Amino acid sequence: MSTTKTGINIDAVSRSYRKTVGTVFNRKTTTIDALRDVTFQIPSGALVGCIGPNGAGKSTLVKILCGILKPDSGTVNVNGREPFSQRQEHVRHIGVVFGQRTQLWWDLPVSDTFALLRALYQVPGHRFDVRQKLLIDRLGIGETLNQRVRELSLGQRMRCELAAALLHEPDVLFLDEPTIGLDAEAKLAVRELLRWLQQTGDVTTILTTHDLQDIEAVADRVLVFGNGSILLNGSLGDLRSAFGNTKVIRIATDSPASHPAAHLAKAIGNEQTFTFDPAQISAADLLAAFAAQAVIHDVEITDQSIDEVVARMYQHHRGESK
Amino acid sequence: MKFNFQMWWLFTRAALRTQMADASNAVLWAAATLLGMLLEWATLWALFARFGSIPGWDFASSSMLFGLVRIAFGIAEMIGRGFDRFHHVIRKGDFDRMLLRPVPVAIQLSVAEFSRFGMIGAGMVAFLYGCSAAHVVFNFGTIAYLVAVISGGAALFYGLLMMQATLCFWTVDGIEVANAVVYGGQTAAQLPLDKLSRPLTFVFTYVFPLAIINWIPAKVLLTGEFNLLALAAPLIGWLFFGLGALVWKMGVRAYTSTGS
Amino acid sequence: MRLLWLVFQMRMKRQLAYQTAAYAGIVTQIVFGLVLVAIFAAFYPNGIKAPMTLPQVTTYIWLGQAFFAMTPYSVFPDAELREQIRDGSVATELLRPVDLHSLWMARTLASKLAPTALRCLPVIVVATLFAGMHLPPDIPSFLAWLLSTIGALVLISAFIVLMILTQFWTVAGDGLSRAVPGIAAATSGQLVPLALLPDNIRVVFEWLPFAGMVDKPYAFWVGTRPVSDLPFVLGHQLLWTGVIIVAGRMLLGRGLRRLTVTGG
């Protein structure tokens, strides 16, 4: 049972698959490189967000890390285990949540599902009771326990999924779009749980998502995928500075103002929004220039939203790979 | 082994609980299956009514064949339903989820479904009718042999279902072909296979040994004469099961190393 | 109408892509044809008197193999549709400005026609050359067969859509989908040519819709049914198709109401 928690170590992993299209009379087989020579490390206990456009290789990577797909080449090590060759042993120590699919038993009450999972992962009774109680309290799902899974709302179900994935105290947790389609309250509950997991510090978590607010809220680090490669491996700050450290200034004035270094993004009535690069002109200088042209009633300076940064990054990458 | 059995029982109990929650459905389904099966049996009767019996074969003995093959298939389906509907599992992406559980997938797919009692019931009716009409004498030996033969037959079909499921790794839509083998095989099995041409007899004896767990044992019951092949029949069914399990295992490995 | 044609085409295209299935299907059908022919041959020792000669039965069996993909052996050729109804996601289909029943008819027609088109010719050629299958006695019989086969295709598709629609009622639908294949196999001629059944049973079966899917068209090819029967056969098929479509539309209306009331 005792595995050393060395985190996740991926070295030069590649994976391709063939895709056949066409009819009987006219078919073509193409090879798609889902992952190309990917290398990275994640220390034990870290929470890493994976982003990237659809088809960039995120889910292939997660499948490989879960042990349900074999890499063509390279080495994979998750807390001392090689996932594919030791799949059955490996999956005993991991938790997986797919936002789009349930791993709960559809027709059973939640509590029965939990009991099944206890037996399935052979968690000792008292240990399970403690863990279950902890998770139920944390996620606030005490009242849903007697309901059948199929009767739960999406938000309730996702909380139960998270509890189910954590009952057997996994050392790695894979979350695939855990907040997709959730209402604001449920989203916050999921994020709060992830932060709590991070504080307790013994679960390495990989979060793949398109919701960058999730990443901003909880991730230590981001892996950005594009075309099967890692485009960026670093903090959110790294991401911002690597792809245009653009800032946004919004001013409310009595008459329109402008500046050659500021790009007008939006103008509604007396309110104008500009983007600018702080390396070209500082916020103070820009504001002074605007103040010289008009009377400013209100001003707000923010970072460009992470969504826009990432969208630009994808665009940039597509341009490059062409 | 013990662990696997425990896990199987765990899954089956859970499935059973949901099935019992709708016990009336299960009864209805079983009745529906029974009705369909009995109608098929009736066409067999109609055929013999039209033509009379053929040398060495009549409605009673054909009923035995009809019943025996359905009992065996019904048992295999009851346990191996997961393999039979594996194309759904694959198509919905549930197979990946199964791989993420620390229990062999074959165990997870072997969860029992009890609504198959209809088929087993229809098989029993036809088989017992056939036996009594053909004045089959039962003693301890023949009953023990019968039990072994039915287990061998169920094992054979189970092996076939596993092969059918393995096919789904490559082509989900080839499934109807496998269905044709399974269901067509049952139709073929209810009539005397010694009337077939040599190549076909060969196929049903050595390639897909349906005759061995159906026609040959039925003949033993009718004549009371054992021969070596008849004695080996249950074993051959189990060997076929082993083959199916092997194919399945290779399929799973190939799927995870080359798959989607 | 254009939309339905498009749906039909797309479905055809998708189904035609399954070539492995088609090859395997051809081989399987040939093997089982051989088995069935051998079995029936066993019933014809020395000139027994029966309403069909052995060559006729043989031809009938091979037709059954060549057009197996079209027979009602499987009530759910389109698993996607069934799942859609079962998990309630069919509700989203309501947002489209199309008549659902016609849409599903088009889909089903394609998913029955495509595999049949891929398989029937090779089986007929092999069976005719090597396994005792006969061609229709004359051109009019062939034409009668062709027309009634088109009628059968439409009838089967309507029936399958009806079966799919029963899936709105989980319990009853499941029961039906278990009982129907056996009933269809027995009464359509798929198991035994209807002409070989005792007369009183045969008369009843001939009135049922299933006979129009298998037995009636085959009988033209085999030559056991005079071409002058064609209007009656087409009438039988058309009548049942109409009844089944009306029933299907009623079920669809009720099913959707059920779905919107319970909130799916």
Side-chain angles (χ1 to χ4, degrees):
Chain A
M1 264 303 269
S2 71
T3 44
T4 43
K5 295 196 177 175
T6 51
I8 295 174
N9 293 284
I10 294 251
D11 191 25
V13 166
S14 295
R15 171 72 216 208
S16 59
Y17 58 91
R18 277 189 298 277
K19 198 173 181 181
T20 312
V21 285
T23 62
V24 181
F25 312 104
N26 165 34
R27 56 176 45 207
K28 270 190 215 141
T29 307
T30 46
T31 305
I32 293 167
D33 293 313
L35 285 180
R36 319 170 193 233
D37 196 21
V38 169
T39 301
F40 65 86
Q41 283 86 39
I42 297 172
S44 175
L47 195 159
V48 174
C50 283
I51 58 174
N54 295 324
K58 290 170 304 189
S59 57
T60 304
L61 177 75
V62 169
K63 278 184 175 180
I64 286 175
L65 288 173
C66 289
I68 60 180
L69 199 64
K70 190 185 179 189
D72 294 335
S73 59
T75 57
V76 183
N77 187 303
V78 178
N79 282 338
R81 302 179 297 263
E82 192 189 31
F84 183 76
S85 60
Q86 301 168 263
R87 194 191 84 235
Q88 217 160 300
E89 173 63 15
H90 178 59
V91 296
R92 192 179 291 286
H93 300 286
I94 67 173
V96 185
V97 174
F98 292 120
Q100 316 265 35
R101 263 183 239 149
T102 181
Q103 66 143 338
L104 305 168
W105 275 259
W106 205 237
D107 296 309
L108 293 181
V110 176
S111 55
D112 285 11
T113 292
F114 287 176
L116 265 169
L117 289 169
R118 187 194 83 73
L120 198 61
Y121 288 93
Q122 300 187 302
V123 186
H126 62 281
R127 202 165 166 159
F128 176 80
D129 294 339
V130 173
R131 182 81 174 168
Q132 176 168 254
K133 188 169 180 316
L134 184 68
L135 289 168
I136 288 172
D137 291 346
R138 277 270 152 205
L139 287 157
I141 50 174
E143 275 154 33
T144 57
L145 283 182
N146 292 321
Q147 279 175 279
R148 285 186 180 207
V149 174
R150 54 148 45 108
E151 293 158 358
L152 300 180
S153 73
L154 187 60
Q156 288 170 326
R157 207 198 80 205
M158 185 47 64
R159 289 180 222 207
C160 294
E161 299 274 359
L162 277 169
L166 290 165
L167 278 173
H168 57 287
E169 301 179 57
D171 56 28
V172 186
L173 179 65
F174 296 98
L175 302 167
D176 183 27
E177 296 280 356
T179 56
I180 196 162
L182 296 190
D183 61 36
E185 192 201 344
K187 262 187 193 176
L188 291 181
V190 170
R191 289 177 191 156
E192 200 178 306
L193 183 88
L194 294 182
R195 269 198 294 267
W196 169 70
L197 276 180
Q198 229 172 338
Q199 279 154 19
T200 55
D202 47 7
V203 187
T204 312
T205 306
I206 298 226
L207 167 69
T208 57
T209 181
H210 289 295
D211 186 339
L212 296 159
Q213 271 74 46
D214 285 348
I215 302 229
E216 267 184 316
V218 296
D220 302 320
R221 244 172 60 191
V222 210
L223 287 173
V224 185
F225 282 83
N227 251 337
S229 312
I230 293 186
L231 305 182
L232 185 131
N233 174 359
S235 66
L236 275 176
D238 294 340
L239 180 61
R240 283 186 195 285
S241 52
F243 285 86
N245 193 6
T246 307
K247 288 200 178 273
V248 179
I249 183 166
R250 185 180 61 80
I251 49 171
T253 53
D254 61 345
S255 63
S258 64
H259 189 277
H263 305 283
L264 183 66
K266 184 168 88 175
I268 303 168
N270 292 332
E271 224 177 82
Q272 290 174 289
T273 307
F274 300 90
T275 58
F276 68 99
D277 182 353
Q280 271 178 26
I281 183 168
S282 75
D285 290 349
L286 186 62
L287 198 56
F290 286 147
Q293 297 167 39
V295 180
I296 300 178
H297 302 306
D298 189 17
V299 66
E300 184 186 34
I301 302 174
T302 49
D303 283 330
Q304 192 173 39
S305 87
I306 189 81
D307 284 290
E308 283 168 43
V309 174
V310 169
R312 268 180 51 186
M313 178 166 175
Y314 292 169
Q315 265 166 18
H316 175 81
H317 175 69
R318 258 203 304 279
E320 228 172 38
S321 59
K322 259 175 199 160
Chain B
M1 191 64 206
K2 191 179 155 228
F3 169 77
N4 282 349
F5 184 75
Q6 270 176 1
M7 288 299 139
W8 176 78
W9 179 234
L10 191 73
F11 280 100
T12 297
R13 225 177 35 199
L16 202 60
R17 215 169 326 154
T18 50
Q19 284 165 37
M20 281 305 122
D22 316 291
S24 56
N25 303 4
V27 171
L28 183 83
W29 294 335
T33 320
L34 189 79
L35 181 76
M37 293 273 137
L38 291 180
L39 206 62
E40 268 187 61
W41 188 36
T43 52
L44 196 60
W45 166 80
L47 206 57
F48 279 98
R50 163 73 69 186
F51 287 100
S53 46
I54 30 180
W57 220 261
D58 56 13
F59 179 56
S61 41
S62 277
S63 296
M64 286 172 67
L65 291 181
F66 177 94
L68 206 54
V69 77
R70 267 155 190 90
I71 295 171
F73 183 64
I75 294 173
E77 270 271 290
M78 193 165 80
I79 312 168
R81 182 99 180 103
F83 285 103
D84 196 17
R85 55 182 305 280
F86 189 65
H87 52 294
H88 291 294
V89 176
I90 280 274
R91 212 166 35 80
K92 287 170 79 183
D94 287 346
F95 185 63
D96 284 349
R97 201 189 63 190
M98 289 184 157
L99 286 172
L100 290 173
R101 291 192 177 136
V103 175
V105 274
I107 300 285
Q108 299 180 51
L109 286 168
S110 298
V111 174
E113 192 190 296
F114 292 90
S115 61
R116 291 282 137 178
F117 271 125
M119 184 185 285
I120 301 174
M124 299 253 257
V125 170
F127 180 71
L128 291 176
Y129 164 80
C131 286
S132 80
H135 308 295
V136 171
V137 188
F138 281 104
N139 55 40
F140 182 74
T142 47
I143 289 176
Y145 178 65
L146 192 61
V147 170
V149 161
I150 289 175
S151 90
L156 177 104
F157 276 114
Y158 203 93
L160 192 70
L161 289 179
M162 289 172 106
M163 292 183 194
Q164 171 188 321
T166 310
L167 186 70
C168 297
F169 287 127
W170 287 277
T171 164
V172 174
D173 296 85
I175 195 68
E176 57 177 291
V177 175
N179 269 330
V181 174
V182 174
Y183 292 96
Q186 289 177 61
T187 311
Q190 71 204 28
L191 286 156
L193 282 165
D194 59 348
K195 296 293 183 285
L196 295 184
S197 62
R198 250 170 212 291
L200 284 175
T201 317
F202 180 84
V203 166
F204 284 101
T205 314
Y206 299 104
V207 182
F208 175 38
L210 200 57
I212 290 189
I213 52 91
N214 203 48
W215 180 66
I216 289 171
K219 227 176 160 182
V220 168
L221 292 180
L222 285 168
T223 60
E225 290 166 19
F226 282 91
N227 58 32
L228 195 64
L229 193 59
L231 280 173
L235 192 70
I236 292 171
W238 280 99
L239 280 178
F240 198 81
F241 168 80
L243 190 69
L246 203 71
V247 167
W248 166 253
K249 234 187 162 120
M250 277 160 37
V252 172
R253 191 164 313 152
Y255 171 79
T256 45
S257 51
T258 62
S260 69
Chain C
M1 209 54 207
R2 255 188 64 128
L3 175 81
L4 296 183
W5 176 236
L6 200 69
V7 167
F8 176 80
Q9 276 179 315
M10 282 168 64
R11 197 75 204 159
M12 280 295 274
K13 217 164 130 188
R14 217 185 111 182
Q15 295 275 327
L16 289 174
Y18 303 134
Q19 59 170 4
T20 337
Y23 293 143
I26 291 165
V27 173
T28 319
Q29 246 58 76
I30 289 175
V31 170
F32 282 110
L34 289 173
V35 172
L36 290 171
V37 167
I39 287 169
F40 277 94
F43 281 104
Y44 285 84
N46 20 6
I48 198 168
K49 58 171 176 23
M52 283 172 91
T53 64
L54 183 55
Q56 285 176 329
V57 173
T58 307
T59 303
Y60 189 105
I61 289 169
W62 281 117
L63 276 173
Q65 300 305 311
F67 292 89
F68 184 76
M70 223 180 84
T71 57
Y73 75 100
S74 153
V75 282
F76 298 117
D78 195 335
E80 270 171 49
L81 272 184
R82 185 190 192 196
E83 298 278 307
Q84 259 187 20
I85 292 184
R86 301 220 121 188
D87 63 20
S89 60
V90 65
T92 55
E93 298 276 320
L94 290 177
L95 302 174
R96 297 189 191 149
V98 222
D99 173 50
L100 270 188
H101 191 278
S102 317
L103 190 74
W104 291 353
M105 266 301 274
R107 253 181 96 143
T108 308
L109 270 170
S111 48
K112 276 285 171 194
L113 182 58
T116 311
L118 279 176
R119 287 164 214 194
C120 67
L121 263 181
V123 175
I124 291 176
V125 169
V126 170
T128 310
L129 289 180
F130 306 108
M133 182 179 183
H134 287 264
L135 295 177
D138 45 39
I139 304 267
S141 305
F142 174 77
L143 291 177
W145 166 81
L146 190 67
L147 284 173
S148 55
T149 296
I150 295 169
L153 179 68
V154 179
L155 175 58
I156 287 171
S157 303
F159 179 72
I160 281 170
V161 172
L162 182 72
M163 286 308 294
I164 290 172
L165 286 166
T166 62
Q167 300 302 305
F168 275 114
W169 291 265
T170 324
V171 179
D174 250 0
L176 270 174
S177 60
R178 277 160 215 248
V180 161
I183 296 171
T187 65
S188 66
Q190 209 182 322
L191 284 182
V192 175
L194 294 190
L196 295 183
L197 296 177
D199 287 335
N200 44 357
I201 296 178
R202 181 182 57 81
V203 170
V204 177
F205 284 5
E206 290 221 331
W207 277 104
L208 295 178
F210 304 106
M213 302 173 186
V214 177
D215 189 80
K216 287 177 195 277
Y218 292 9
F220 285 122
W221 179 301
V222 171
T224 48
R225 191 179 274 281
V227 177
S228 55
D229 267 7
L230 183 64
F232 300 106
V233 169
L234 290 180
H236 170 269
Q237 290 172 332
L238 217 63
L239 193 72
W240 272 115
T241 306
V243 169
I244 289 171
I245 286 181
V246 168
R249 288 187 164 277
M250 273 164 57
L251 276 192
L252 178 65
R254 288 180 163 230
L256 290 180
R257 213 170 313 140
R258 201 178 133 91
L259 196 71
T260 41
V261 169
T262 56

